[in-house]
Amino acid sequence: MSLFFNYTLNGISNGMIYSALALALVLIFRATKIINFAQGAAGMMTTFIASSLLAHGVSYWWAFVLVLAIGFAFGAMTERILIRPLQGKSELNPVIVTIGLLVVLEGVAGAIYGNASRGFPAAYSQSGLTFGHSRIAFSHFDVFILVAVLVLMIAILILFRATTLGLRMRASAFAGEISRLLGVRVGILLTLGWGLAGIAGSLTGLLVAPTSSFGPYYMDLVLVYAFTGAVIGGLESPVGALIGGLVTGLCISYVGGYLGSGLEPMGALVLLMVALMARPEGLFSRPAARRV
Amino acid sequence: MLEIKDLSVSYGAVRALRSVSFEAQPGSITAVLGANGAGKTTLLRTISGLVRPRTGSVHFNGEELLGRRVETIARQGVAHVPEGRGIIEELTVEENLRLATLWCLKRRERQTAIEEILELFPRLMGFRHRHASTLSGGERQMLVLGRALISRPRLLLLDEPSLGLAPLVTAQLMGLLRDHATGTDVTVVLVEQNARSALSVSQHAVVLNLGEVVVSSSAAEVAADEGLRHHYLGF
Ligand SMILES: Nc1ncnc2c1ncn2[C@@H]1O[C@H](COP(=O)(O)OP(=O)(O)OP(=O)(O)O)[C@@H](O)[C@H]1O
Ligand SMILES: [Mg+2]
């Protein structure tokens, strides 16, 4: 029972991280129907920048904020420079470009920082919290993960639900041409969407690095898990990304705990297959809307 | 006034518009009629900037529209109700309406404008917080029309607004359009398959055939010309 409890806590903490990256994938997918395979690698790159900043004596929180801003700029630039020129042709073209970007980023990171994995500090203690005599598999840092991802999710939801900027962003994402006919500057809003995704990606990079072997490739598996979560969540809504990420995190934690950690990626693959087969458009998306 | 001169549009080898010229006056409705594939939708999409023509010019109140961005043209007071899927299904009825007010109305004017439109289409009143995807075909048309009117456009481009509507609703809609056009100085270009009802509310009519203007004259003359009606309009 206590094993199950700890696996669950571990699953929630990891699941929140997958949710954040799933959110990034969803923000881009629903606006452009592109899966950004470079999203994790971009987070890896900005985390290396954070690592350099920390090495130069910048405080953790300054580095944290700066790196989220850099993530925003990097996401926005990716859209403007690499994706925008390919618009209007096959949706596969930009997807292939993001795979190219993934490879380039990992190559560049390896060339600059080396391929060996290194350490990355956590914002808070990583030893489990204790209640009375028992220690649980949930640390101060896990609490921070929970709070950081929830704050991001809530901020995005407020943006989308309660502001006119969010209304414009949703409209441009769902119906670009009609929005333009209504005077909405769709181009800039798409760029903004990629920027927000960049923030979520950077945050993921910072949250994963302390608990994994931080190096050029440490985000690869996280991207696969996040993608699984995004598909489970229907690839359309932030709330779906949150739930999908959590489901993925929990499943993988149970698989790793009870069956062995080597089977985790296999577990994710099975989960992804089931999610895709159960409902091709995802579990939480609305049924295909009726057309006139 | 809308002045279209010598407009030609091609999609690859398909010549959708061939040297189309006509004028549409403010405070009146100009019907654009013609068979399927005649180029009506292409004409409207060219005016609102969605399609780039090979040659020609589109002037509205003396200003050239061609070459400007779609959203810039919209912000000059051009409202285009596209064919078919004009609503944004993922948004609620009220959000659809609000979206059209963002560039032209101040924050506190927006809600008043939304209420005015909902009063114009009372059927939508109870559905304001519903997703637009749940509306019936007729309700959707009311919503797109309301959304076009809410920005108080100076040029209103309507692509088959009566598509899928019951005859009675079509009549109401046409009446509403006529009242709106004559009450203000808006220029209305009305594309319709339903030539008879379009002509009944229009002052001017343009008949397209295979991308060419066959006739451009008063609606009454077109309606009275039996040969023309038979040949191109099917009634
Ligand atoms: N995107 C496109 N690519 C290629 N050809 C097109 C495209 N859009 C329209 N066409 C062609 O251009 C011609 C004019 O089409 P358009 O849609 O303007 O006709 P329409 O008068 O609106 O017809 P309908 O009454 O059926 O709506 C048709 O032959 C059509 O096949
Ligand atoms: Mg048409």
Side-chain angles (χ1 to χ4, degrees):
Chain A
M1 183 59 208
S2 101
L3 260 187
F4 177 77
F5 182 64
N6 280 337
Y7 292 155
T8 305
L9 290 176
N10 182 48
I12 290 175
S13 158
N14 285 338
M16 288 308 276
I17 291 178
Y18 307 150
S19 297
L21 195 58
L23 173 69
L25 296 175
V26 163
L27 283 176
I28 287 176
F29 181 81
R30 73 170 187 176
T32 47
K33 299 291 170 280
I34 295 168
I35 298 290
N36 182 8
F37 283 99
Q39 195 74 68
M44 174 275 295
M45 208 66 206
T46 56
T47 305
F48 266 111
I49 295 174
S51 173
S52 297
L53 288 171
L54 293 173
H56 283 84
V58 179
S59 80
Y60 183 89
W61 295 110
W62 269 114
F64 187 86
V65 172
L66 264 174
V67 156
L68 293 194
I70 293 171
F72 178 90
F74 189 80
M77 271 163 48
T78 306
E79 196 274 339
R80 274 292 147 129
I81 298 170
L82 294 179
I83 305 300
R84 183 72 57 97
L86 301 175
Q87 232 179 15
K89 303 190 182 77
S90 158
E91 274 154 6
L92 204 53
N93 295 357
V95 173
I96 291 167
V97 166
T98 68
I99 295 175
L101 182 61
L102 160 76
V103 174
V104 167
L105 287 175
E106 290 181 343
V108 168
I112 299 178
Y113 302 102
N115 282 324
S117 64
R118 49 167 87 191
F120 189 87
Y124 295 97
S125 155
Q126 291 188 70
S127 53
L129 300 169
T130 50
F131 289 95
H133 297 296
S134 54
R135 181 179 284 264
I136 59 169
F138 210 74
S139 63
H140 284 101
F141 185 61
D142 289 320
V143 174
F144 173 63
I145 290 175
L146 205 71
V147 171
V149 176
L150 279 179
V151 165
L152 176 74
M153 288 278 175
I154 292 169
I156 296 241
L157 277 182
I158 290 176
L159 171 70
F160 281 157
R161 293 284 145 201
T163 70
T164 55
L165 176 64
L167 175 60
R168 286 192 192 107
M169 286 187 74
R170 280 187 292 146
S172 333
F174 290 128
E177 187 173 292
I178 298 171
S179 301
R180 296 182 75 198
L181 289 174
L182 299 174
V184 178
R185 300 208 166 94
V186 169
I188 187 83
L189 294 170
L190 287 184
T191 309
L192 190 60
W194 279 72
L196 290 183
I199 292 181
S202 289
L203 178 67
T204 314
L206 290 170
L207 296 180
V208 177
T211 53
S212 70
S213 48
F214 171 49
Y217 306 105
Y218 81 109
M219 289 292 280
D220 286 358
L221 211 49
V222 180
L223 182 81
V224 174
Y225 296 160
F227 180 61
T228 307
V231 171
I232 291 175
L235 279 166
E236 288 278 312
S237 80
V239 177
L242 178 65
I243 295 169
L246 279 174
V247 168
T248 309
L250 286 170
C251 287
I252 289 172
S253 179
Y254 296 141
V255 168
Y258 291 116
L259 306 177
S261 61
L263 288 176
E264 286 180 0
M266 190 66 92
L269 186 65
V270 170
L271 197 60
L272 182 59
M273 291 290 293
V274 171
L276 286 171
M277 280 176 353
R279 202 161 148 187
E281 73 272 20
L283 296 178
F284 291 94
S285 65
R286 261 170 280 118
R290 199 155 47 113
R291 305 285 184 196
V292 170
Chain B
M1 183 169 70
L2 175 71
E3 293 172 274
I4 293 178
K5 280 209 195 80
D6 202 24
L7 200 62
S8 294
V9 174
S10 299
Y11 300 105
V14 180
R15 297 186 61 192
L17 292 181
R18 305 164 192 239
S19 197
V20 166
S21 304
F22 69 91
E23 290 176 2
Q25 303 294 337
S28 77
I29 301 180
T30 300
V32 175
L33 309 170
N36 293 122
K40 308 179 295 295
T41 298
T42 303
L43 174 65
L44 295 196
R45 289 174 65 84
T46 311
I47 297 172
S48 56
L50 290 167
V51 170
R52 302 231 166 247
R54 277 194 318 153
T55 61
S57 69
V58 175
H59 285 265
F60 183 61
N61 290 346
E63 288 182 60
E64 175 67 84
L65 295 187
L66 290 187
R68 298 189 183 180
R69 289 170 196 236
V70 177
E71 49 270 43
T72 310
I73 293 174
R75 284 165 185 238
Q76 286 182 306
V78 179
H80 180 166
V81 175
E83 191 172 21
R85 312 170 175 181
I87 58 165
I88 303 182
E89 298 183 327
E90 290 84 355
L91 303 182
T92 64
V93 168
E94 202 172 307
E95 284 171 338
N96 264 281
L97 293 172
R98 176 164 301 117
L99 188 65
T101 66
L102 294 181
W103 66 270
C104 57
L105 297 183
K106 293 203 185 69
R107 195 169 282 271
R108 45 197 169 70
E109 297 168 347
R110 286 178 196 151
Q111 202 55 40
T112 329
I114 291 173
E115 302 308 326
E116 275 173 27
I117 294 296
L118 291 176
E119 270 160 36
L120 198 59
F121 299 99
R123 258 199 88 74
L124 296 179
M125 192 71 92
F127 303 157
R128 57 199 300 162
H129 296 303
R130 259 171 56 177
H131 270 278
S133 59
T134 65
L135 297 184
S136 79
E139 291 156 358
R140 285 163 188 241
Q141 294 293 23
M142 292 176 200
L143 177 56
V144 280
L145 197 65
R147 199 183 57 191
L149 296 179
I150 203 170
S151 60
R152 306 202 179 98
R154 293 187 296 155
L155 175 59
L156 184 54
L157 309 171
L158 300 164
D159 201 342
E160 303 201 29
S162 75
L163 194 73
L165 294 190
L168 191 63
V169 184
T170 305
Q172 282 170 353
L173 192 137
M174 293 294 165
L176 191 138
L177 268 184
R178 180 177 46 206
D179 297 345
H180 188 79
T182 47
T184 57
D185 65 349
V186 60
T187 308
V188 181
V189 178
L190 173 63
V191 164
E192 264 300 332
Q193 284 294 339
N194 190 340
R196 195 200 298 263
S197 74
L199 286 173
S200 71
V201 294
S202 305
Q203 283 74 42
H204 196 84
V206 176
V207 179
L208 289 180
N209 184 46
L210 298 175
E212 275 176 317
V213 175
V214 188
V215 187
S216 169
S217 70
S218 83
E221 275 174 51
V222 172
D225 187 333
E226 203 166 324
L228 192 72
R229 262 174 29 201
H230 245 70
H231 205 160
Y232 296 111
L233 307 178
F235 79 96

